[in-house]
Amino acid sequence: VQLQASGGGLAQAGGSLRLSCAASGLPFSRYDMGWFRQAPGKEREFVAAITWSGGATFYADSVKGRFTISRPNAKNTVYLQMNSLKLGDTAVYYCSAAQYISRSSTEYAYWGQGTQVTVSS
């Protein structure tokens, strides 16, 4: 199983980035997908998740209304559109796959390598 995250980089506060996570080696349309992030010196935290069908999405309160998770199953890819970025969004972002959607990282069996997002003022 491979989850290849990309799209991170440097953005100004108030700007936007779109993260992508390309999945291979698993039946993508049968897995719920999540994004987590980890800032230096902090624990990994839940950002957003989407059910296998794309019919339901969940967000951390800190990103609700600013971030959007989506998944065109035909592309075996999950996206995280990040708008109105804040300094506090600076972190390494990880995509993950689970059989049952959760806000807990322990429920996710597969993880990507992470992509760095840095927001500057």
Side-chain angles (χ1 to χ4, degrees), residues 48-120:
I50 187 167
T51 55
W52 63 270
S53 66
T57 56
F58 303 87
Y59 297 93
D61 288 343
S62 58
V63 307
K64 200 174 295 182
R66 300 188 297 120
F67 291 9
T68 302
I69 188 171
S70 61
R71 62 179 300 167
N73 281 343
K75 294 185 177 182
N76 278 16
T77 300
V78 60
Y79 298 107
L80 185 68
Q81 178 67 44
M82 305 187 297
N83 298 329
S84 302
L85 284 164
K86 302 178 179 180
L87 297 180
D89 295 322
T90 295
V92 177
Y93 283 71
Y94 299 90
C95 62
S96 54
Q99 290 196 302
Y100 300 102
I101 199 166
S102 174
R103 294 172 181 263
S104 172
S105 62
T106 59
E107 297 299 318
Y108 289 79
Y110 303 108
W111 292 85
Q113 84 287 3
T115 184
Q116 176 71 47
V117 171
T118 303
V119 182
S120 65

Side-chain angles (χ1 to χ4, degrees), residues 1-5 21-26 28 33 76 95 97 110-113:
V1 175
Q2 271 201 321
L3 300 177
Q4 184 69 41
C21 176
S24 60
L26 80 169
F28 181 73
M33 300 296 294
N76 278 16
C95 62
Y110 303 108
W111 292 85
Q113 84 287 3

Side-chain angles (χ1 to χ4, degrees), residues 24-60:
S24 60
L26 80 169
F28 181 73
S29 62
R30 291 164 59 180
Y31 276 79
D32 298 332
M33 300 296 294
W35 285 97
F36 290 76
R37 68 186 182 187
Q38 188 166 17
K42 295 188 176 181
E43 292 187 353
R44 190 169 297 189
E45 65 174 0
F46 171 77
V47 175
I50 187 167
T51 55
W52 63 270
S53 66
T57 56
F58 303 87
Y59 297 93

